[in-house]
């Protein structure tokens, strides 16, 4: 156990907020920071988040604490005669329904699909009473579909850039709002989607992760160009956050239409690193294995459609080391001094042979955590300034 914990990444520098912990559970701590970060977008409220955390710390299950807050807000929205209240409450309810599922992987529990549908329904009710632009779409995927939203920028030129946003392992498409809302304000149209292994695509359609993400993103680009007008084909941008930041470079390598690739953070061999961790976890006797590590193992098996025997081999497929040199579009690599996978983004950046930018957030920025959790305002401002600088005019 001691050897295992020594392998786990350490984050935070004393005297900065990244050193404080909301939970000893790494994922739960990260998700709480994420929820707090969404408050500046009015997708959450500080008091509601901290009250939910307090109930969780007092012994209530994660999914129950967050779903209770979501239910309260959904009922408030339904009972209100004011569209102002409906807009605000439905948006926050949608967020809390999603967060309830971010630390829950009981695949036989009907709350997976039920709470997913609740989140979607609340978000669509928010869009109905809001002036925020958003169109729900279902992108064909095999015999199923990938849930997505297309956002047409209200200030976009007739021929505008398109940003396609890929979320991470634990969050959903709409959790990338800190990027796409800033992009929309700058005249960039956006497509956000839950891909294989992510968000609603996993929990409602049962679609697990796949390493060959080009077979997902290239069809998405095709779909956008076929179904939406006013897209500047010379300014197609891929943005990937957390695990999505590992995925999208491969898609950019295989699709020459991609003008810009943004990774937050960069990582060349994400799968290999986590395969080693899971191997160590599996070697620990189950009776002494901490619940946090048990959850991690089960979560990877679930999201990758694997078994305990195949999960490590499946993860090793997620290795782009040999092809990173082939990435030939402008690539922006985001990083933080309290990043969980410390040093990996810089290794990835140094491997690139294309035009590139390295965007580092230090402790004083407030955006130094993994994927800038909790510091989304500063992160989006600095990132989108850099994106605008490199757009083809």
């Amino acid at each position: 156990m001691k050897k295992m914990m020594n392998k786990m990444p350490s984050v935070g520098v004393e005297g900065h907020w990244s050193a404080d912990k909301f939970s000893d559970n790494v994922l739960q701590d990260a998700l709480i920071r994420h929820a707090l970060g969404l408050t500046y977008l009015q997708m959450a409220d500080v008091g509601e988040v901290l009250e939910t955390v307090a109930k969780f710390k007092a012994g209530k299950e994660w999914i129950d604490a967050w779903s209770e807050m979501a239910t309260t807000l959904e009922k408030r929205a339904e009972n209100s005669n004011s569209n102002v209240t409906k807009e605000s409450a439905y948006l926050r309810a949608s967020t809390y329904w999603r967060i309830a599922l971010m630390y829950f992987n009981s695949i036989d529990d009907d709350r997976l699909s039920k709470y997913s549908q609740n989140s979607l329904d609340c978000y669509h009710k928010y869009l109905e009473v809001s002036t925020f632009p958003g169109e729900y779409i279902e992108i064909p995927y095999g015999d199923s579909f990938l849930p997505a939203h297309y956002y047409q920028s209200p200030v976009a030129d007739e021929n505008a850039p398109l940003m396609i946003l890929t979320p991470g392992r634990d969050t959903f498409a709409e959790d990338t709002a800190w990027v796409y809302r800033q992009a929309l304000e700058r005249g960039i149209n956006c497509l956000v989607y839950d891909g294989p292994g992510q968000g609603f695509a996993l929990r409602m359609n049962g679609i697990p992760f796949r390493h060959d993400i080009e077979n997902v993103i290239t069809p998405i680009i095709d779909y956008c160009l076929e179904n939406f007008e006013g897209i500047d084909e010379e300014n197609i941008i891929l943005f990937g956050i957390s695990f999505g930041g590992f995925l999208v470079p491969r898609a950019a390598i295989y699709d020459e239409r991609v003008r810009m690739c943004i990774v937050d953070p960069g990582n060349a061999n994400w799968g290999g690193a986590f395969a080693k961790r899971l191997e160590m976890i599996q070697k620990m006797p189950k009776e002494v294995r901490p619940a946090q590590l048990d959850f991690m193992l089960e979560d990877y098996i679930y999201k990758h459609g694997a078994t305990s025997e195949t999960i490590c081999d499946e993860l090793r497929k997620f290795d782009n080391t040999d092809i990173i040199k082939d990435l030939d579009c402008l690539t922006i690599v985001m990083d933080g001094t309290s990043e969980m996978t410390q040093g990996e983004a810089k290794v990835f950046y140094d491997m690139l042979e294309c035009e590139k930018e390295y965007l580092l957030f230090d402790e004083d920025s407030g955006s130094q955590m993994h994927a800038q959790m909790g510091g989304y305002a500063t992160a989006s401002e600095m990132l989108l300034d850099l994106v605008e600088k490199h757009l083809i005019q």
Side-chain angles (χ1 to χ4, degrees):
M1 176 60 185
K2 183 176 181 181
K3 182 178 180 182
M4 175 65 196
M5 296 310 294
N6 286 341
K7 291 284 185 177
M8 296 294 284
S10 59
V11 296
V13 176
E14 187 175 355
H16 297 274
W17 88 291
S18 52
D20 297 327
K21 301 297 179 187
F22 295 97
S23 172
D24 290 334
N25 183 299
V26 175
L27 178 54
Q28 291 170 355
D29 182 70
L31 294 175
I32 294 166
R33 293 172 191 272
H34 168 64
L36 290 171
L38 294 177
T39 59
Y40 105 98
L41 297 169
Q42 298 182 318
M43 295 174 69
D45 186 69
V46 172
E48 292 166 355
V49 172
L50 295 181
E51 182 64 23
T52 303
V53 172
K55 290 181 178 179
F56 168 66
K57 287 185 175 181
K60 194 175 287 292
E61 291 293 326
W62 177 274
I63 189 170
D64 294 332
W66 289 100
S67 62
E68 286 178 9
M69 183 59 74
T71 299
T72 297
L73 290 169
E74 185 173 354
K75 288 181 178 178
R76 182 185 306 159
E78 291 171 349
N79 294 331
S80 176
N81 294 320
S82 167
N83 281 347
V84 175
T85 295
K86 288 181 182 292
E87 176 182 349
S88 177
Y90 274 133
L91 179 59
R92 301 200 310 283
S94 177
T95 297
Y96 300 147
W97 282 123
R98 292 196 310 276
I99 294 176
L101 295 173
M102 290 179 191
Y103 197 82
F104 185 75
N105 58 13
S106 299
I107 60 176
D108 296 325
D109 193 313
D110 62 5
R111 287 179 292 180
L112 273 176
S113 58
K114 181 181 178 181
Y115 289 4
S116 293
Q117 190 63 57
N118 289 351
S119 180
L120 264 181
D121 289 345
C122 285
Y123 190 72
H124 292 159
K125 290 175 182 177
Y126 151 74
L127 287 177
E128 287 174 7
V129 297
S130 170
T131 59
F132 192 76
E135 176 184 351
Y136 175 68
I137 57 176
E138 295 179 349
I139 300 173
Y141 180 85
D143 296 330
S144 187
F145 65 89
L146 302 178
H149 286 90
Y150 183 75
Y151 298 100
Q152 182 79 27
S153 169
V155 297
D157 293 332
E158 185 175 341
N159 204 29
L162 170 67
M163 179 181 287
I164 297 172
L165 297 99
T166 302
R169 284 192 75 259
D170 306 300
T171 55
F172 292 60
E174 299 311 321
D175 293 287
T176 63
W178 61 278
V179 177
Y180 70 71
R181 289 199 178 195
Q182 276 259 349
L184 293 172
E185 292 176 1
R186 299 173 189 241
I188 300 171
N189 299 324
C190 295
L191 185 286
V192 300
Y193 73 103
D194 286 318
Q198 298 171 322
F200 301 128
L202 172 73
R203 293 166 177 86
M204 299 178 74
N205 297 350
I207 304 172
F209 278 118
R210 59 186 295 176
H211 74 284
D212 53 347
I213 196 67
E214 69 274 14
N215 292 311
V216 177
I217 293 182
T218 284
I220 289 177
I221 296 175
D222 293 339
Y223 182 95
C224 290
L225 295 178
E226 292 169 4
N227 290 277
F228 303 112
E229 297 181 353
I231 294 176
D232 180 359
E233 296 186 33
E234 293 188 355
N235 276 316
I236 293 177
I237 307 163
L238 299 185
F239 171 85
I241 184 169
S242 192
F243 182 48
F246 164 80
L247 293 172
V248 297
R250 181 180 172 108
I253 289 169
Y254 286 99
D255 198 317
E256 61 183 14
R257 294 172 297 183
V258 177
R259 156 69 184 133
M260 190 184 306
C261 180
I262 307 168
V263 297
D264 184 19
N267 194 311
N269 185 12
W270 179 92
F274 279 90
K276 290 180 180 179
R277 289 185 188 176
L278 294 194
E279 284 179 335
M280 295 176 69
I281 293 173
Q282 288 178 318
K283 290 178 181 178
M284 298 174 62
K286 188 170 177 61
E287 58 271 17
V288 299
R289 189 186 299 161
Q292 179 179 173
L293 300 186
D294 250 348
F295 179 89
M296 179 188 295
L297 178 60
E298 293 167 0
D299 199 56
Y300 276 83
I301 290 171
Y302 166 50
K303 291 178 179 176
H304 288 268
T307 66
S308 58
E309 290 76 24
T310 64
I311 182 58
C312 291
D313 286 338
E314 181 63 28
L315 287 177
R316 291 189 185 94
K317 297 177 183 177
F318 292 80
D319 182 358
N320 292 333
T321 305
D322 293 339
I323 61 173
I324 290 301
K325 64 181 184 302
D326 299 325
L327 189 58
D328 61 3
C329 67
L330 167 66
T331 300
I332 298 175
V333 180
M334 302 173 70
D335 196 4
T337 50
S338 292
E339 173 60 53
M340 292 176 67
T341 52
Q342 291 179 11
E344 291 298 326
K346 188 59 167 61
V347 170
F348 174 89
Y349 175 82
D350 290 339
M351 292 172 66
L352 295 172
E353 298 179 6
C354 56
E355 183 182 4
K356 58 187 178 179
E357 295 268 13
Y358 181 66
L359 186 55
L360 177 67
F361 296 89
D362 62 17
E363 282 81 4
D364 292 330
S365 72
S367 304
Q368 69 269 33
M369 296 295 292
H370 172 64
Q372 282 61 68
M373 284 182 296
Y376 293 145
T378 289
S380 60
E381 291 161 359
M382 294 180 65
L383 172 63
L384 270 298
D385 281 354
L386 192 54
V387 169
E388 284 191 306
K389 170 186 170 183
H390 286 286
L391 287 174
I392 299 174
Q393 303 300 322

